[in-house]
Amino acid sequence: MKRIFQHFYFLYTLKVFTIMVLLSFVLSCNKNQNHSYTFYYWKTHLSLNKEEKKALKQSSTPYLYTRFFDVDKVNGKFQPVAVITKDENFETDKKIVPVIFITNQTFLQISGEDITFLAKNIFTLIQKKIFSEHLTTHDEIQIDCDWTFKTKDDYFKFLKKLKEISGKEITCTLRLHQVKDKNISGIPPVEKVYLMCYSTSSPLENSDRNSILDVNTLKSYLSKIEDYPIKNIEVALPIYSWGIVTNHLKKHKLINALSKKDLNNDHFKKISDNEIEIQADGFYFGNYLNKGFRIKVEEISDQQLEEVIDFLRKKITPFTIIYYQLDSKFVMNRNLKKF
């Protein structure tokens, strides 16, 4: 009897051990599954240097999300801003996805006729740029707008009208607060959204948090992302950096693309790992800065990216990553294939 018991106990233990090993293997494979990725291109002149070409070639999706122009309302009139141009030597085998940034104020006090006018003219300008710059595009237009409760109804009407006029797949960006406050912000009438996992706070606030990406803040905003009605979600992640300059009056300005290594200067006094105080008046990073000004650098680590990816992997269906943005200053020496 004892031997029979020992035999069954052994089989039970073996079964449990086998299940645990298999479960561990499955979880490990899932965790180490790399995501497809590509980039946003956000400059006004479409041109790639050697490092940017290399990074884009290594990306694993056939698309490049390219900002074509912005739209704003100036003195009651819609205006395209900073329309993109293309270098004659630009070439890529990626299909271009046109991205249009529209200010929230554009949709304040807008009529139905204005919505139709806006949709027609945006599509016309997109088509003109595609033709004049000889671009190969994907059958998608992405709209980037930080809509609010006051503008959501008219913004959503615009998205529907643009789809009707263009016959294209219309997608849009989705900010963190629009997920957290979805009952107030509303759900856009699209089949795919791009979750912008950055700008978790204002860089002009006096705070110890990283304003580009504070992971704890992001997790708080996205704690119920799995309940969001639109299930086709792609993820935009930051790889950019900047320096926040604070003057004697505690006013701030941004200097783009600064990194911690830029803080190594004999005229800088180190305050912390990512902050310095200027010790002598002079030109620094193309700006005249006075003694006593402080510069705080904010950049994104691999650890931050990995933590966000792991968090979202448990929350939503498999997603593609679009890194913001394609610039040699941000892609050099960064291995994005490992995520």
Side-chain angles (χ1 to χ4, degrees), residues 274-301:
N274 65 326
E275 188 173 10
I276 59 90
E277 181 178 294
I278 297 173
Q279 301 298 293
D281 297 349
F283 280 95
Y284 305 98
F285 318 115
N287 297 265
Y288 188 81
L289 305 176
N290 296 113
K291 178 180 179 180
F293 283 22
R294 292 195 174 194
I295 303 176
K296 173 189 173 185
V297 164
E298 293 184 337
E299 53 188 359
I300 303 301
S301 68

Side-chain angles (χ1 to χ4, degrees), residues 223-269:
S223 62
K224 301 295 182 181
I225 182 65
E226 65 270 23
D227 297 333
Y228 198 75
I230 300 174
K231 300 304 179 184
N232 193 353
I233 301 176
E234 310 291 24
V235 174
L237 289 175
I239 52 174
Y240 64 94
S241 64
W242 56 31
I244 304 171
V245 180
T246 305
N247 67 13
H248 300 300
L249 300 176
K250 304 300 181 184
K251 293 186 177 181
H252 310 287
K253 68 176 293 183
L254 294 177
I255 299 178
N256 188 43
L258 288 193
S259 62
K260 290 180 182 178
K261 67 177 182 293
D262 294 318
L263 300 183
N264 296 323
N265 188 305
D266 291 340
H267 293 153
F268 295 166
K269 176 184 177 182

Side-chain angles (χ1 to χ4, degrees), residues 19-261:
I19 291 173
M20 290 179 66
V21 170
L22 288 173
L23 182 61
S24 175
F25 177 76
V26 170
L27 291 174
S28 175
C29 288
N30 185 55
K31 182 176 181 180
N32 294 324
Q33 183 180 6
N34 293 344
H35 289 267
S36 297
Y37 74 92
T38 186
F39 299 94
Y40 278 107
Y41 187 91
W42 216 257
K43 302 174 187 176
T44 56
H45 186 63
L46 188 52
S47 176
L48 300 177
N49 61 30
K50 181 179 178 181
E51 289 295 330
E52 292 158 358
K53 288 179 181 177
K54 178 182 176 182
L56 186 58
K57 186 176 182 179
Q58 290 176 341
S59 66
S60 48
T61 78
Y63 310 119
L64 175 62
Y65 291 79
T66 306
R67 174 205 155 277
F68 268 41
F69 52 87
D70 301 343
V71 176
D72 199 3
K73 187 187 291 182
V74 181
N75 297 323
K77 295 183 179 181
F78 304 121
Q79 298 286 344
V81 179
V83 180
I84 197 169
T85 57
K86 181 178 73 71
D87 188 270
E88 61 181 11
N89 295 320
F90 171 83
E91 61 178 27
T92 180
D93 59 355
K94 305 290 185 182
K95 288 187 176 181
I96 302 296
V97 177
V99 182
I100 314 301
F101 173 77
I102 308 178
T103 63
N104 184 54
Q105 71 172 9
T106 298
F107 294 101
L108 290 172
Q109 299 178 334
I110 187 173
S111 67
E113 292 79 7
D114 286 339
I115 290 173
T116 300
F117 174 84
L118 183 63
K120 284 182 177 179
N121 280 272
I122 283 177
F123 182 58
T124 297
L125 184 52
I126 291 172
Q127 293 296 94
K128 284 183 178 178
K129 294 308 297 182
I130 291 172
F131 178 77
S132 65
E133 305 295 353
H134 307 288
L135 297 173
T136 301
T137 57
H138 181 45
D139 195 33
E140 174 186 355
I141 298 172
Q142 184 184 127
I143 302 298
D144 179 18
C145 178
D146 189 7
W147 82 85
T148 61
F149 173 75
K150 291 183 178 180
T151 59
K152 67 181 179 67
D153 291 338
D154 290 323
Y155 174 58
F156 294 169
K157 289 177 185 176
F158 163 79
L159 293 175
K160 291 179 181 179
K161 183 58 67 173
L162 182 60
K163 180 176 179 63
E164 176 188 322
I165 290 170
S166 68
K168 305 288 186 180
E169 178 188 9
I170 304 301
T171 61
C172 71
T173 56
L174 181 67
R175 285 165 171 77
L176 302 181
H177 71 88
Q178 293 162 346
V179 175
K180 182 180 180 182
D181 303 323
K182 63 180 183 293
N183 293 332
I184 298 173
S185 298
I187 309 301
V190 296
E191 295 182 1
K192 184 196 293 187
V193 291
Y194 292 76
L195 180 64
M196 299 178 69
C197 294
Y198 47 90
S199 297
T200 49
S201 61
S202 171
L204 306 184
E205 296 175 357
N206 290 316
S207 173
D208 293 333
R209 293 179 298 174
N210 186 321
S211 67
I212 297 175
L213 174 59
D214 180 80
V215 176
N216 289 333
T217 300
L218 178 138
K219 288 181 177 180
S220 174
Y221 273 84
L222 301 181
S223 62
K224 301 295 182 181
I225 182 65
E226 65 270 23
D227 297 333
Y228 198 75
I230 300 174
K231 300 304 179 184
N232 193 353
I233 301 176
E234 310 291 24
V235 174
L237 289 175
I239 52 174
Y240 64 94
S241 64
W242 56 31
I244 304 171
V245 180
T246 305
N247 67 13
H248 300 300
L249 300 176
K250 304 300 181 184
K251 293 186 177 181
H252 310 287
K253 68 176 293 183
L254 294 177
I255 299 178
N256 188 43
L258 288 193
S259 62
K260 290 180 182 178
K261 67 177 182 293

